[in-house]
Amino acid sequence: MSAEETAAQGSEANGPYYSLRVAEIIEETADAKSIVLDVPAEFAERFAYESGQFLSFRVEVAGHRLVRCYSLASAPRLDSAHKVTIKRVVDGRASNWMNDEVSVGDVLEVMPPSGIFLLQDRDTPLVLFSGGSGITPCISILKTALETTSRPIKLLYANRDDRSIIFKDELNAMLSANSDRLEIVHRLDDVHGFCDAALIVQQVGPRKDADFYICGPGPFMDVVESGLGSLSIPSDRIHIERFESPDTPGAEDSAPIEEAEGQIVTISLDGQDTEIVVGEGETILAAARRVGLEPPFACEEAYCGCCMAKLVEGEVEMLMNDGGIDQRQIDEGWILTCQGVVKGKVRVEYPD
Ligand SMILES: Cc1cc2nc3c(=O)[nH]c(=O)nc-3n(C[C@H](O)[C@H](O)[C@H](O)COP(=O)(O)OP(=O)(O)OC[C@H]3O[C@@H](n4cnc5c(N)ncnc54)[C@H](O)[C@@H]3O)c2cc1C
């Protein structure tokens, strides 16, 4: 199928990726845009999602293929289309490409939704802590909780300044319509300074029995976790979504492995086969990065699915699967290479 035909159809599956057409682009702030996707009816079931989940996109930037996760800011059953919001990261490759290069009508490669940062079925209050682009899964959870529950909800939303607040109008509208049970606290670095643990404790106030959701930059999340920690909130009440970006691929953060002790694994990546030695207990992803290959990955904790590859020969045990791959994908032969330890000679193929 030609590129034009694929673009015209906008729905072909390529390995774990589906080609979805960009239906709309929304300028949210000076450094964040939303991309609304057109999910054709035949993929509606595959792209069904829960508030808090994310999509993984495979993009090509300056000749490099990158896979990046973006949380769904839309809410299932409330919003008619899937919407992700991408904030520029300084010198970030995919985020700037998504902001600068994507236009309405383009076709993007997207993996079906995944993730476990989900609204729990409880009656307790909800307290959401968001920083910057960390609002994306939280606004989806917020919308769904307002629509489907009567839970009291508090959102603390930290930003650099007023102009950086994503979804400001939408949040204001939600507040006006639900002022009896929704509270929104905006914290702006240029006015209030950074949040600290004491502030978090103060903002929780009497809602110690709440479900807590945290998403934002690392230092913001650390402060929130520290504040909640001082209140001895049980860990099953604290839900965390990390937006970590992969480091530049390379060997520097992988433990050295004695090559002679490992198994031979053939890795097919970008149309090229490479034979590598995977050490005892080492994952395929770690070994591939150790030898200088640049396979896609993000979370390395079995929940994002970015590092998926197809096992075409041999046996691999996945150490864990935290929702990064579903049964259908496993049945098709896909594995999470960040969790895959090999049992003998193996061949894996990353999607073309
Ligand atoms: C589950 C999940 C959900 C997410 N949801 C969202 C969302 O809804 N919205 C959103 O905006 N983001 C989200 N993210 C983050 C997103 O996936 C990307 O990590 C983010 O957009 C940055 O990617 P990038 O390619 O632009 O940056 P990268 O190119 O990976 O760069 C990241 C950082 O590394 C630095 N860097 C890059 N190359 C080098 C180099 N050679 N040497 C030194 N430093 C370098 C850059 O300066 C930058 O600060 C999510 C992440 C996860 C895991």
Side-chain angles (χ1 to χ4, degrees):
M1 179 177 291
S2 70
E4 290 74 24
E5 283 167 332
T6 304
Q9 191 174 54
S11 59
E12 276 294 292
N14 174 15
Y17 296 98
Y18 290 72
S19 299
L20 300 183
R21 182 193 302 279
V22 176
E24 189 185 353
I25 294 194
I26 305 165
E27 304 263 352
E28 302 287 0
T29 64
D31 60 1
K33 278 185 186 168
S34 290
I35 294 179
V36 180
L37 296 165
D38 184 8
V39 176
E42 66 264 39
F43 295 125
E45 190 196 331
R46 201 75 190 90
F47 276 81
Y49 67 102
E50 296 299 322
S51 281
Q53 291 196 303
F54 59 85
L55 299 174
S56 299
F57 292 75
R58 185 169 68 171
V59 298
E60 195 165 321
V61 181
H64 287 272
R65 273 200 180 152
L66 305 171
V67 181
R68 295 289 184 267
C69 311
Y70 292 102
S71 298
L72 285 147
S74 49
R77 297 173 288 277
L78 298 174
D79 293 311
S80 55
H82 294 58
K83 179 178 82 177
V84 292
T85 306
I86 300 121
K87 182 169 177 169
R88 291 179 192 273
V89 166
V90 177
D91 295 333
R93 291 157 291 175
S95 59
N96 287 293
W97 185 87
M98 298 282 258
N99 271 273
D100 293 332
E101 303 297 335
V102 177
S103 309
V104 171
D106 286 356
V107 173
L108 297 174
E109 290 189 297
V110 192
M111 249 193 240
S114 83
I116 51 169
F117 187 67
L118 305 174
L119 184 60
Q120 303 298 311
D121 187 13
R122 285 201 266 259
D123 295 330
T124 50
L126 276 173
V127 180
L128 312 170
F129 292 103
S130 302
S133 60
I135 190 64
T136 50
C138 291
I139 195 170
S140 181
I141 288 171
L142 175 53
K143 284 191 224 179
T144 296
L146 285 173
E147 187 66 21
T148 63
T149 78
S150 52
R151 301 169 77 166
I153 308 172
K154 178 167 190 168
L155 167 68
L156 182 142
Y157 186 15
N159 277 288
R160 274 196 305 266
D161 50 39
D162 186 67
R163 282 168 304 146
S164 310
I165 301 175
I166 306 173
F167 310 132
K168 192 160 122 190
D169 295 344
E170 203 175 344
L171 289 169
N172 283 341
M174 282 185 211
L175 191 56
S176 305
N178 300 279
S179 55
D180 53 332
R181 65 179 175 117
L182 174 62
E183 187 187 351
I184 299 181
V185 176
H186 286 287
R187 290 285 305 188
L188 304 176
D189 299 347
D190 67 343
V191 177
H192 311 105
F194 291 136
C195 299
D196 60 20
L199 174 88
I200 301 304
V201 170
Q202 184 207 326
Q203 292 293 331
V204 171
R207 299 173 203 78
K208 296 190 186 64
D209 60 338
D211 268 358
F212 298 91
Y213 288 80
I214 315 172
C215 187
F220 170 80
M221 295 175 73
D222 292 347
V223 159
V224 177
E225 281 188 80
S226 152
L228 297 184
S230 71
L231 293 169
S232 304
I233 308 288
S235 58
D236 68 334
R237 291 298 169 102
I238 303 178
H239 310 279
I240 296 175
E241 185 72 310
R242 295 194 187 282
F243 276 11
E244 254 94 287
S245 173
D247 301 329
T248 307
E252 57 284 350
D253 56 356
S254 303
I257 293 280
E258 190 54 60
E259 298 224 339
E261 291 170 4
Q263 303 284 352
I264 302 283
V265 171
T266 306
I267 293 191
S268 167
L269 176 65
D270 296 333
Q272 199 176 334
D273 280 8
T274 310
E275 278 201 348
I276 65 169
V277 176
V278 179
E280 177 79 32
E282 189 181 28
T283 66
I284 296 171
L285 176 67
R289 295 186 68 217
R290 173 172 52 75
V291 300
L293 296 179
E294 298 188 5
F297 71 98
C299 75
E300 294 185 88
E301 290 179 353
Y303 68 81
C304 81
C306 289
C307 67
M308 215 180 280
K310 202 160 211 173
L311 176 66
V312 290
E313 187 190 325
E315 203 187 327
V316 167
E317 182 195 340
M318 279 202 295
L319 298 173
M320 67 175 186
N321 173 18
D322 219 347
I325 188 167
D326 61 26
Q327 193 54 48
R328 181 164 153 173
Q329 290 163 324
I330 292 172
D331 293 345
E332 287 171 2
W334 297 97
I335 55 161
L336 297 175
T337 57
C338 76
Q339 300 300 319
V341 291
V342 301
K343 309 273 169 207
K345 196 168 183 297
V346 154
R347 175 181 172 86
V348 292
E349 294 179 355
Y350 284 92
D352 289 335

